[in-house]
Amino acid sequence: MAHHSTKRSKRHRAATPPARGRTVAAAALTAVAAAAGVCGTAAAAPAAGPGSGASDTDRGTVKAQIAALYRQADQLTQTFDAAQEQESALSLAVQRSQSKLQTMQADYEHQRAAIGAIAANQYRAGGVDQRLALMLADHPETFLGNEAMATRVSDQQSRKVAEVIEERRQIVQLQRAAADQLSALNQTRDTAARSRTQVTEQLHKAQSLLNTLSAPQRRAAIQADLGADPASPFTGEQPDPNTPDQNLPAPSDRARAAIEAAIADLGKPYVFGAEGPDAFDCSGLIQQAWRQAGVELPRTSSEQAQAGQQIPLSQIQPGDLVIYYAGRSHIGMYVGDGKIIHAPHPGTQVRYAPLMSMPVNMVVRV
């Protein structure tokens, strides 16, 4: 297998997740999957095609193509999930920047009014001519740069002018940062939209292939696990004949709580981009299960692979995360007895699967 350095990321105690428009997003994503025709277990009526009259080789090829499309959709789903997570963080950052900018702008205008009062007083006292008074009020940075003018105000007034200049500098800096954040947010939204479109295309292709099979064959193809990727040389970790130990308990109370949460979600549908509570994609299920155990994990399978200590497959214990494929595009939770719980792909539900039903990239203990 490919070797990855062990990384520990800071574990966060679970808190109420920030509002991210999950209800709207989940509804939209459910509609996308439904449009693709593979969100539920029922398949569309078969079009004219090989069906039951096709050879076993033809049917095997079609099923392999369907599995490949589901694997590709799974990987694209993780790209979408990452974009959604980044969009949420950037949206919050933009909101905070805009709020801070409004506060600073209001304070700046108040300070400028105070500077105007200084200029007016100086003018009335005959200390500054009208032209210089206007410069003091409208362009304080120019005023301080004029030595002759600066000597005509008190130290306290000079400090007030300097404070206004600094606040103006900070406002300009924050405006630029907010513009950069907004640009990044728009780019992230574009990435999410492209990923959603690509996933939908893959699901449509899978549905077209499913329609060439008979009803029993369609059901079998939909319910099949993702399996190995014949197009990839990656074979993953291989188990020791004596492992996994079926009798090992979960190593911690949190691991037991996460397993219980995952078990409670058995039977809930896979929906692209969903993170619960009624539907999940693979990483959304893991994040939700560990959140119920008091641990906040990142959103995607590749990020979750870095959320704890990498463990040899021979030392796997219940509650450990199992990351699959070379691109770390799928994830499940080991629950003992040689099984994982995972959300496989559209058309399936959260369910048990054999630990080695897909090529294992790494095992991580949270």
Side-chain angles (χ1 to χ4, degrees):
M1 65 166 282
H3 295 286
H4 302 278
S5 59
T6 299
K7 296 183 180 179
R8 288 180 181 272
S9 64
K10 183 177 180 181
R11 299 172 193 162
H12 302 284
R13 300 300 298 175
T16 301
R20 290 171 32 168
R22 284 194 178 98
T23 302
V24 175
L29 295 174
T30 301
V32 168
V38 292
C39 186
T41 55
S52 58
S55 69
D56 290 341
T57 300
D58 289 339
R59 287 194 294 270
T61 300
V62 169
K63 291 178 181 178
Q65 291 173 338
I66 292 169
L69 288 168
Y70 282 147
R71 285 192 295 270
Q72 292 166 14
D74 203 34
Q75 188 164 2
L76 289 167
T77 297
Q78 295 307 302
T79 302
F80 175 84
D81 289 344
Q84 286 286 91
E85 184 179 44
Q86 186 179 11
E87 179 182 348
S88 177
L90 285 170
S91 295
L92 186 59
V94 168
Q95 291 171 7
R96 288 174 174 171
S97 293
Q98 290 176 339
S99 177
K100 184 177 180 180
L101 193 56
Q102 288 176 352
T103 301
M104 291 183 68
Q105 286 278 22
D107 186 64
Y108 174 71
E109 293 302 325
H110 176 74
Q111 297 296 340
R112 280 194 63 210
I115 292 294
I118 294 174
N121 289 337
Q122 289 291 326
Y123 175 66
R124 284 193 294 270
V128 182
D129 65 31
Q130 186 175 20
R131 179 180 61 83
L132 300 184
L134 290 173
M135 184 181 292
L136 175 62
D138 295 334
H139 303 286
E141 65 280 1
T142 305
F143 174 83
L144 281 189
N146 188 305
E147 184 176 353
M149 294 169 62
T151 58
R152 301 196 180 196
V153 296
S154 68
D155 290 343
Q156 182 178 0
Q157 291 171 332
S158 292
R159 285 194 296 272
K160 174 63 72 175
V161 173
E163 288 172 2
V164 172
I165 293 171
E166 173 60 20
E167 186 159 26
R168 177 59 184 168
R169 185 193 67 79
Q170 291 180 8
I171 287 174
V172 171
Q173 188 177 41
L174 185 57
Q175 285 173 330
R176 290 172 180 167
D180 289 344
Q181 290 169 341
L182 189 58
S183 176
L185 176 59
N186 289 332
Q187 291 176 4
T188 299
R189 284 173 173 164
D190 289 343
T191 298
R194 284 194 302 272
S195 298
R196 181 169 56 235
T197 298
Q198 290 171 332
V199 170
T200 303
E201 290 173 351
Q202 299 301 90
L203 298 182
H204 276 305
K205 291 177 183 177
Q207 185 62 54
S208 295
L209 289 171
L210 285 168
N211 288 343
T212 68
L213 302 175
S214 66
Q217 291 164 354
R218 282 200 307 276
R219 286 193 293 271
I222 290 173
Q223 293 302 319
D225 279 313
L226 295 171
D229 184 358
S232 172
F234 179 77
T235 57
E237 282 199 58
Q238 300 303 313
D240 184 283
N242 298 319
T243 59
D245 187 338
Q246 300 181 3
N247 298 317
L248 283 177
S252 68
D253 290 341
R254 289 189 302 183
R256 283 190 289 275
I259 292 171
E260 290 172 1
I263 290 173
D265 290 324
L266 286 168
K268 293 182 179 179
Y270 178 107
V271 172
F272 154 62
E275 50 190 279
D278 300 320
F280 299 93
D281 63 19
C282 67
S283 55
L285 172 67
I286 299 304
Q287 184 186 52
Q288 176 71 4
W290 274 95
R291 180 178 288 152
Q292 295 300 312
V295 179
E296 191 65 29
L297 294 181
R299 179 62 180 89
T300 69
S301 57
S302 59
E303 292 173 319
Q304 290 168 0
Q306 305 300 316
Q309 180 182 5
Q310 186 172 346
I311 300 296
L313 180 60
S314 60
Q315 297 177 21
I316 194 169
Q317 294 183 26
D320 289 347
L321 311 183
V322 188
I323 297 89
Y324 293 96
Y325 299 107
R328 301 178 181 179
S329 57
H330 193 74
I331 191 167
M333 183 190 301
Y334 185 65
V335 292
D337 199 24
K339 297 177 182 177
I340 62 166
I341 289 178
H342 72 145
H345 56 75
T348 62
Q349 298 79 35
V350 176
R351 68 189 186 197
Y352 292 104
L355 170 64
M356 302 306 297
S357 58
M358 298 164 282
V360 176
N361 184 302
M362 61 194 303
V363 177
V364 171
R365 184 161 300 155
V366 178

